[in-house]
Amino acid sequence: MADQNQDKITIPLLQARKTVGPRIVCLTAYDHPTAKILDERGVDLILVGDSLGMVVLGYENTVPVTMEDMLHHTRAVSRGVRRALVVGDMPYFSFHLSREETVRNASRFLKEAGAAAVKIEGASAKRLKLVEALVEAEIPVLGHVGLTPQSIHRLGRFRVEGKAIDGALKIIDDAANLERAGAFAVVLECVPVEVADKVTRALRVPTIGIGAGPRCDGQILVFHDMMGYSTGFFPRFVKKYARLHETMGRAVAAYAVDVRKGSFPDAATSYHLKPEVASELGKRGRKK
Ligand code: KIV
């Protein structure tokens, strides 16, 4: 019997891309129809990011996102994916209390939501121990250094990390420590090109950049940002490939005009009785 999973993206396949290419294409998704589009168009890794909180749930930052939010959306994404590797993002406070709770929460992405791996922000000594525990429990981990949005209240604002020498060296160390702890790849968010380049050349595992320049082994963007679906402030690294907010806004306005003037629904978008039933109904239907 033919192996239906033969073109399925696996972690070893992604890791091999570091040496043989091509670059790893990643995007976020939070729902089934979007996941289907990404998968059909050959996106290699789909991250159900906790950016969900900002671009879909309307929160100001990612801190309020819960495990239940993440599992709900990861399930919807997984149901739309055949080929890509689905990664679930560990939300704030799902990995902060104990090693046991971290492993239990992470395992839910694999057991209940169809993900193949989890992403976890940060690389403190305590975080590295958690990465080791997850890998030990057969849960592949995507690391995440540079700007870590869950630290918003400590950082005060989102900004480029590693611009001064100490910060740059810390990012390089953090990424190397994550590799040593067993991460299968590392996201570099909002760091200077030169730092991302140094990390990419130092690591054996792939780097996935977002706002980290062109020299990473792969790239990721938030779907709603690159589609011009979300609104508000966009950092310079967001390239917009569509203007969905405007396109959808125009469609909604056209619908409203049609409804108000009575041109929708029309005959073509309505159901009709057969003439004989319509005539009978005319005779027997209750009169006003
Ligand atoms: O939550 C998210 O979407 C992310 C990506 C920006 C890497 O962490």
Side-chain angles (χ1 to χ4, degrees), residues 116-186:
V118 299
K119 180 170 80 59
I120 191 164
E121 288 186 12
S124 63
K126 207 170 155 200
R127 212 58 55 83
L128 294 170
K129 289 259 173 287
L130 295 177
V131 173
E132 282 171 14
L134 293 171
V135 173
E136 164 65 24
E138 309 294 353
I139 302 170
V141 177
L142 176 59
H144 183 157
V145 297
L147 173 64
T148 48
Q150 290 174 13
S151 316
I152 181 63
H153 293 307
R154 178 172 53 79
L155 298 173
R157 64 190 172 92
F158 296 137
R159 53 154 198 241
V160 180
E161 293 289 318
K163 281 167 96 173
I165 187 67
D166 287 354
L169 291 171
K170 179 171 174 349
I171 290 167
I172 296 164
D173 277 356
D174 282 353
N177 288 337
L178 279 167
E179 173 176 271
R180 214 165 297 123
F184 74 87
V186 178

Side-chain angles (χ1 to χ4, degrees), residues 28 30 47 49-51 89 119 121 144 187 189 210 220 222:
T28 67
Y30 318 95
L47 172 70
D50 65 350
S51 48
D89 208 359
K119 180 170 80 59
E121 288 186 12
H144 183 157
V187 170
E189 177 160 358
I210 172 162
I220 187 161
V222 169

Side-chain angles (χ1 to χ4, degrees), residues 18 145 161-162 168 171-172 175 186-203 205-219:
K18 173 132 192 149
V145 297
E161 293 289 318
I171 290 167
I172 296 164
V186 178
V187 170
L188 302 176
E189 177 160 358
C190 247
V191 303
V193 175
E194 297 78 3
V195 177
D197 179 52
K198 193 113 182 151
V199 174
T200 300
R201 285 195 280 121
L203 296 195
V205 299
T207 56
I208 310 291
I210 172 162
R215 300 187 202 148
C216 298
D217 301 302
Q219 294 292 331

Side-chain angles (χ1 to χ4, degrees), residues 88-109:
D89 208 359
M90 298 281 289
Y92 173 67
F93 232 65
S94 65
F95 54 94
H96 298 71
L97 288 181
S98 70
R99 177 189 152 121
E100 285 68 29
E101 196 187 44
T102 301
V103 175
R104 189 172 311 114
N105 279 332
S107 73
R108 296 186 69 194
F109 281 98

